Amino acid sequence: MIAPPWLEVLDDTVRACAAHRRPDLAERLQVRRARLVDPKLRVVVIGEAGQGKSQLINALLNAPICAVGDDGTTAVPAVIEHAETPIATVVTGGRRALESASRTPVPVESVTAEANREARSVSGPPVVRAEIGLPRALLAAGLALVDTPAGAGAELVESMAADAVLMATDATSELSRSELLLLKQVARLCPTIIVVLTKIDLVPGWRLIAERTRALLDDGGLMATVLPASSSLRLAAARSGDQALNQESGFVELIRCLHQDLAGQAELLARRSVATLTGVTVESLLTSLKEEFSATQQQGSEEAVARWHAEGRRLERLQRDAARWQTLLSDEVSDLLSDVEFDLRDRTRKILVEVDDYFDTADPARTWDEFETWLRENLEKVAETNSEWLLDRFEWIARKVGRRVAPHRPDALPDSLPREVPGDAVGDMKMPKVERFGVGQKLFVGMRGSYSGLLMFGLATTLAGLPLINPISLGAGAAFGAKSVFEERGQRLKRRQATAKTAAHRYVDDFFLTYGKHSKDTARQIHRALRDRLAAVTEELRAEITDSAKAIKQVIDADAARRTNRAQEIRRDLDELTLLSRRAQSLAGMRPRQAPRGLTA
């Protein structure tokens, strides 16, 4: 047996819901499919409270089965089907598996009142619905009426499984905003809608209200039939058998519509229902897919792209800073060498000034050992102080440059710098050769001076008649001899002092050259070590940034590839769903041989 086209469309829609991971939509369509393949025609009656909905069903079936009045407001659905004898039950317990629910027989005339009472009770199992069977010709053709509670979404739940919907609204005014909203929601679930304008016996100008109602439906894009009816006239006609009154009640046209236009057009109703449900379902799937497709067209993760750009800027900044810190290091080391040399020169110059001052009075022949010890200690102190200052300054330079290169890398700098002073910075100092003024030399110098004085004054005194050697010449000779010894001793002391100064100056110059060479060598060695270490750290940072940028780029590329592939899949899915929607629209466009009055295919 070949399945009808609408069933194929419905099954394809169910498969589409499953493929797009929407089991909620698939379950809803499966329930609707079970209803559609059922030969019974399910008509759901909806309406707001006080609009005569339950009384409409009573008048339609000519039986007081639905509770009416303020105390009889419908609380649970009531399903009325054909039965050979009147029967009614209240279903409690399971909402999903009605087969396992409990059914309690209740008199037909009180079943809805009992169901309403139990539904409002806080104790006992929940009431699912009331089931009623009546021997009526209208129901014998397979028609099933469902009375629904007003509000709480019950109308929409029952409309999902409806073949047609009857909405009761009284003729005192046109459709309210809430009723129009309800109809629009119902139309998305069941496209076949009949609006029954009730209580026309109470409103003389009901025809104007009917026209306004049709205008509101047209303005809202709702394809619904509007039928006026009076339940009171219908029940009165049934009691009296007055056919004219029954005709005036409007129920003749309503029954004809239900019995012929609806029950006789099951195929059309199925096509329209499937077309509407498929359209709504496909629209829901398309909305999700379009949103996802729009997301795939967006640039990848903004955070990842921002991180990738940040890593690129960081690499560029690192490359610029590499040249800058090398220039900075070279400049700082050059300034340091100049300052260190000046400091060494200034300290040694001060020592030489003290040496000159010292040997202006001291005799190196007597104090040389003490002087040598003092000079060595001072030069060693100069070497130690200058070396400490050099290394302290280098550590300051290293921290300054290190902050430029890698502020967050404590291992960017060496743990320590060499601080030893060279052992040969202060070499051995030999005492210079100095003349010693011994006794023999003193005697010789004294005799030479005495002879000059004796001879000079002896000759002078001979003019006075005194002999060459006389007391005056002898005294002068002794004075001149002592003077010669004193002068010679002073001259020899000055020569010794000059020699000592020269030796000290030479020694300090040698120290300056030796230690100065060591100081510069140490500075250059530390400079190279620091430069190489910072260059290695810079290279590590460059490699780290490059690897990080590559990893982020791979993530971005992978995400872009995934989004591209997903976009292609979505395009295919969109095409398939669009084709499915067109198939559903073609179902709605298929006209039967005889279209029902008031219904548009």
Side-chain angles (χ1 to χ4, degrees):
M1 182 177 180
I2 300 176
W6 59 263
L7 188 58
E8 294 181 0
V9 172
L10 184 58
D11 290 339
D12 289 342
T13 307
V14 172
R15 284 189 287 270
C17 293
H20 291 90
R21 298 179 295 278
R22 290 298 304 271
D24 55 329
L25 298 179
E27 182 180 1
R28 182 188 303 173
L29 294 178
Q30 290 285 8
V31 173
R32 190 70 183 99
R33 185 185 190 280
R35 295 292 185 185
L36 289 174
V37 297
D38 188 349
K40 291 182 180 179
L41 184 66
R42 190 180 180 90
V43 178
V44 174
V45 184
I46 65 174
E48 295 183 347
Q51 301 298 312
K53 171 174 58 65
S54 298
Q55 185 73 341
L56 173 66
I57 297 176
N58 292 342
L60 190 62
L61 298 175
N62 192 20
I65 54 176
C66 294
V68 295
D70 295 336
D71 297 333
T73 302
T74 305
V76 294
V79 180
I80 304 102
E81 297 178 340
H82 180 266
E84 295 297 333
T85 58
I87 186 173
T89 57
V90 175
V91 182
T92 59
R95 288 184 176 274
R96 288 186 174 273
L98 291 176
E99 296 79 5
S100 62
S102 175
R103 286 173 166 79
T104 304
V106 179
V108 173
E109 62 274 8
S110 61
V111 60
T112 55
E114 180 67 20
N116 293 340
R117 184 186 64 80
E118 292 186 14
R120 296 187 180 98
S121 175
V122 296
S123 61
V127 179
V128 179
R129 67 185 187 183
E131 294 181 348
I132 305 170
L134 291 176
R136 293 293 184 270
L138 180 63
L139 303 177
L143 181 67
L145 298 176
V146 181
D147 185 15
T148 59
E155 302 98 331
L156 299 180
V157 173
E158 296 297 335
S159 297
M160 291 179 186
D163 295 299
V165 173
L166 252 64
M167 182 174 188
T169 178
D170 61 37
T172 57
S173 63
E174 64 269 15
L175 292 172
S176 65
R177 181 176 301 178
S178 59
E179 288 176 322
L180 281 173
L181 178 60
L182 177 61
L183 282 177
K184 289 180 180 180
Q185 294 173 337
V186 169
R188 294 175 60 85
L189 303 173
C190 179
T192 304
I193 299 175
I194 299 174
V195 177
V196 180
L197 201 63
T198 62
K199 304 179 183 180
I200 60 174
D201 56 311
L202 302 178
V203 182
W206 63 265
R207 290 178 178 80
L208 180 59
I209 299 299
E211 292 301 323
R212 290 180 180 177
T213 299
R214 292 187 182 94
L216 286 174
L217 293 173
D218 292 339
D219 293 341
L222 296 171
M223 300 175 60
T225 300
V226 179
L227 296 177
S230 172
S231 299
S232 299
L233 294 180
R234 164 71 171 175
L235 293 174
R239 287 193 299 270
S240 64
D242 190 341
Q243 294 298 325
L245 187 61
N246 185 47
Q247 186 72 29
E248 184 182 352
S249 70
F251 273 79
V252 174
E253 182 66 18
L254 177 58
I255 293 174
R256 189 204 60 76
C257 182
L258 293 175
H259 188 65
Q260 298 180 10
D261 293 346
L262 294 184
Q265 300 292 337
E267 182 71 13
L268 171 62
L269 298 180
R271 289 203 313 270
R272 294 186 61 184
S273 295
V274 171
T276 300
L277 287 174
T278 298
V280 173
T281 303
V282 169
E283 180 182 352
S284 177
L285 296 177
L286 286 175
T287 300
S288 300
L289 286 177
K290 288 177 181 179
E291 291 177 355
E292 186 178 358
F293 181 79
S294 178
T296 61
Q297 301 307 301
Q298 302 294 328
Q299 193 175 4
S301 173
E302 294 183 0
E303 181 182 358
V305 174
R307 288 172 51 202
W308 183 56
H309 288 305
E311 292 297 327
R313 291 191 296 270
R314 184 182 170 196
L315 183 60
E316 293 177 359
R317 186 167 57 252
L318 180 65
Q319 292 173 347
R320 290 195 305 268
D321 291 344
R324 293 177 180 176
W325 71 254
Q326 291 185 18
T327 302
L328 175 63
L329 179 61
S330 298
D331 293 343
E332 291 289 346
V333 171
S334 298
D335 294 342
L336 174 60
L337 290 176
S338 176
D339 293 343
V340 167
E341 183 177 4
F342 176 81
D343 178 74
L344 183 62
R345 174 63 70 185
D346 181 65
R347 292 179 186 276
T348 54
R349 184 182 60 79
K350 291 179 180 179
I351 291 177
L352 290 177
V353 171
E354 293 185 18
V355 168
D356 291 342
D357 292 342
Y358 178 75
F359 278 121
D360 283 342
T361 58
D363 185 359
R366 295 179 180 180
T367 62
W368 183 260
D369 293 339
E370 180 183 352
F371 167 75
E372 181 181 0
T373 302
W374 173 85
L375 182 59
R376 287 179 61 85
E377 289 177 355
N378 276 270
L379 291 180
E380 288 175 356
K381 185 177 180 180
V382 167
E384 182 179 355
T385 303
N386 188 265
S387 178
E388 289 289 338
W389 188 69
L390 168 68
L391 297 175
D392 290 343
R393 179 79 173 271
F394 245 121
E395 288 183 353
W396 178 82
I397 293 173
R399 288 193 297 271
K400 179 180 179 180
V401 179
R403 286 193 295 268
R404 288 285 190 90
V405 177
H408 306 295
R409 288 281 299 271
D411 60 336
L413 302 176
D415 296 334
S416 61
L417 299 175
R419 290 185 171 272
E420 65 277 1
V421 179
D424 57 348
V426 182
D428 296 334
M429 183 177 182
K430 295 180 180 181
M431 181 179 179
K433 293 181 179 181
V434 295
E435 297 179 286
R436 294 186 178 275
F437 197 35
V439 177
Q441 292 176 335
K442 292 179 181 180
L443 181 60
F444 177 76
V445 171
M447 290 180 65
R448 185 176 60 188
S450 297
Y451 175 75
S452 299
L454 177 64
L455 182 60
M456 183 176 59
F457 277 92
L459 292 176
T461 55
T462 56
L463 296 177
L466 295 175
L468 180 64
I469 298 176
N470 56 59
I472 296 175
S473 64
L474 288 175
F480 268 80
K483 182 177 182 301
S484 296
V485 171
F486 182 77
E487 290 178 352
E488 184 66 20
R489 184 175 58 189
Q491 290 176 0
R492 285 177 178 268
L493 176 61
K494 291 184 179 299
R495 286 198 297 270
R496 288 196 302 271
Q497 289 174 339
T499 301
K501 289 179 180 180
T502 301
H505 277 261
R506 187 180 300 113
Y507 181 71
V508 172
D509 288 342
D510 291 342
F511 164 78
F512 181 83
L513 291 175
T514 302
Y515 179 74
K517 176 66 166 59
H518 167 77
S519 180
K520 292 179 181 179
D521 290 344
T522 301
R524 282 192 290 268
Q525 180 182 0
I526 297 175
H527 179 199
R528 294 190 186 100
L530 186 60
R531 181 192 61 198
D532 294 343
R533 175 58 182 165
L534 293 176
V537 172
T538 301
E539 190 60 31
E540 291 176 4
L541 291 176
R542 182 182 292 108
E544 178 183 338
I545 295 173
T546 302
D547 293 342
S548 176
K550 287 182 179 178
I552 296 174
K553 189 62 168 62
Q554 289 175 355
V555 172
I556 294 175
D557 292 342
D559 180 67
R562 180 190 60 78
R563 287 186 289 105
T564 300
N565 295 334
R566 181 55 184 157
Q568 294 176 353
E569 295 176 358
I570 293 175
R571 288 192 183 96
R572 291 194 295 268
D573 293 340
L574 289 175
D575 293 340
E576 293 176 358
L577 290 176
T578 301
L579 179 59
L580 182 60
S581 178
R582 291 174 181 172
R583 291 171 59 193
Q585 292 174 4
S586 66
L587 288 177
M590 295 172 63
R591 293 183 177 272
R593 294 178 181 178
Q594 183 179 359
R597 188 178 305 173
L599 299 181
T600 303

